[in-house]
Amino acid sequence: MSPPLFLPVRFLPAILFLILTLPFAFAAPEKSKVPVRKPTETKPAPPQIPKPEKKPAPVKPLKPSAAPAAKVEWKPVYHKSRPYVTVEQVASYYDMPAPKASGKEISLENKIFRIEMTRGERRIRLNGWTFYFSFSVADREGKTLVSVFDVRNVLDPIMRPNDRRDPAVLKTVIIDPSGGGKEAGIKSPFIAEKDLTLDVAKQLGAHLTAAGFRVVLTRDEDKLVSTAERRKVADGVNDEAIYISLRASSSGGSTKGFETSTLPPAGTPGTSEPDSTDPDLRLFAGNINDRESLALATVLQSSAVTKLKTLDLGIRRFRFSELRDIRVPAVVCRLGYLSHKEEAQKLGTPEYRALIAQSLCEGVQRYAKYLSDHMEERIEEEKKRPLQFGTITASPTIEGVGHTG
């Protein structure tokens, strides 16, 4: 039974580039207005949401596109007024053996992917990288359940990269350094947030300009810029573009590391918001590029964590004001914790800030390479050539990811 999507298929990005251009991205890390293009073919999708006996208040879906029949007969159940599927169905859908359980820990694994999750938690590990579900993994009558929202919005884009954008050329990168003027942001004895983000933004802009991109900064000096003014700068870009907001973090504990955030899909809570039965149903302009923003976040996060040799704090979801109305793929990168003495010291050094800028530039270049690689020939060629997963090769099938070769 083939499941429709809440958003039309033409909005889904091709997250295949995460695998084609970032083989290192799935190596285990250190512990601790864009035109909408019509895809060339319709692909299978996650489970269909059945009509419950007592109708909940789900996100109002846009008209779904038809999709070929999937080999798994999904049998969603309702929990907290939202649809879930069992981890056994998830495993079957992705050609994985039966899940393994150890207490609250659940793992699913084949030769390509390993998913680790914990009952009652949102945080998961996908091939060693940290992602956050919108809703906690549930335990109901002895069955482990995963929200259909999370199968569709987190697992499916990465594990079944079988929907592709038409080729495009990334031309402009909008860089948004937080703070400015009287808004110093988070402070430390070594550097203030407004100075950290502006320095990294300028260095990143220089690298991208040298690489042939047009760069637009929402501020290029120590001045106060409102959210509305930042959005106006982004709205003034009419070609293929992305938006990268730079921030710092602070915590009362010993937290340190790098994290990247995107806008939560409509009808789902942010990572730090309660797992309630009354989620925010608003569809913002920024939600048009949900899947592309996730792709961009994954590239930047993996590039930064790998190059900086820092802790992977994962890809999270927040309704930042600067993301809600941005009409291009947009992310917020938190460069580190100024509340952590050792990390603040590093962030205060020109060498470490230069390394951050280099890592983000490399991530942008890989994103751009995917968009433009092979141009018109790419779509047909990708149907024929195997997908690269680090040292493992898998041949694509009509269902998406095939068996390892």
Side-chain angles (χ1 to χ4, degrees), residues 131 135 151:
F131 291 81
F135 302 103
V151 176

Side-chain angles (χ1 to χ4, degrees), residues 51-295:
K51 184 177 180 180
E53 294 182 6
K54 185 177 180 180
K55 187 176 180 181
V59 183
K60 183 178 179 181
L62 302 178
K63 185 177 179 182
S65 301
K71 61 183 179 181
V72 175
E73 182 180 356
W74 292 99
K75 297 178 180 178
V77 295
Y78 271 81
H79 175 65
K80 293 186 177 181
S81 300
R82 70 179 71 98
Y84 284 73
V85 290
T86 66
V87 289
E88 287 78 11
Q89 290 186 74
V90 173
S92 179
Y93 188 60
Y94 295 118
D95 293 320
M96 291 176 147
K100 296 179 180 179
S102 176
K104 291 186 176 182
E105 307 299 320
I106 307 294
S107 63
L108 298 81
E109 184 174 12
N110 60 17
K111 293 181 179 180
I112 300 171
F113 293 109
R114 177 177 174 80
I115 308 171
E116 300 164 272
M117 59 184 75
T118 304
R119 296 187 186 98
E121 294 186 9
R122 300 187 198 181
R123 178 180 179 273
I124 71 163
R125 302 275 285 180
L126 179 52
N127 282 17
W129 290 91
T130 301
F131 291 81
Y132 283 84
F133 280 163
S134 294
F135 302 103
S136 299
V137 177
D139 187 356
R140 179 179 175 183
E141 298 177 354
K143 293 288 187 180
T144 302
L145 306 175
V146 177
S147 166
V148 168
F149 283 88
D150 292 314
V151 176
R152 187 184 65 241
N153 294 321
V154 179
L155 296 181
D156 213 58
I158 296 173
M159 297 182 66
R160 297 180 67 85
N162 53 0
D163 194 15
R164 298 161 171 79
R165 283 192 58 176
D166 288 345
V169 176
L170 177 62
K171 294 184 177 181
T172 302
V173 181
I174 306 162
I175 308 174
D176 176 36
S178 63
K182 64 181 181 181
E183 290 188 0
I186 303 166
K187 297 179 180 179
S188 80
F190 310 100
I191 194 168
E193 180 178 10
K194 68 173 185 177
D195 299 320
L196 165 66
T197 58
L198 183 59
D199 186 33
V200 172
K202 287 183 174 181
Q203 292 192 61
L204 174 58
H207 287 308
L208 292 171
T209 299
F213 298 100
R214 177 192 173 208
V215 173
V216 175
L217 271 66
T218 58
R219 71 177 181 97
D220 58 6
E221 58 183 340
D222 185 14
K223 66 178 181 180
L224 181 65
V225 181
S226 68
T227 299
E229 291 173 312
R230 295 170 194 266
R231 184 169 59 246
K232 185 176 180 180
V233 170
D235 286 343
V237 176
N238 296 316
D239 51 23
E240 190 81 34
I242 56 176
Y243 183 97
I244 302 173
S245 179
L246 305 178
R247 290 190 174 199
S249 295
S250 178
S251 172
S254 59
T255 306
K256 64 177 181 177
F258 196 98
E259 68 182 62
T260 307
S261 301
T262 69
L263 191 67
T268 67
T271 299
S272 63
E273 295 173 353
D275 187 352
S276 71
T277 56
D278 186 27
D280 193 333
L281 302 180
R282 291 176 294 173
L283 181 69
F284 294 101
N287 288 124
I288 293 174
N289 292 294
D290 277 345
R291 299 290 180 96
E292 277 197 316
S293 295
L294 177 63

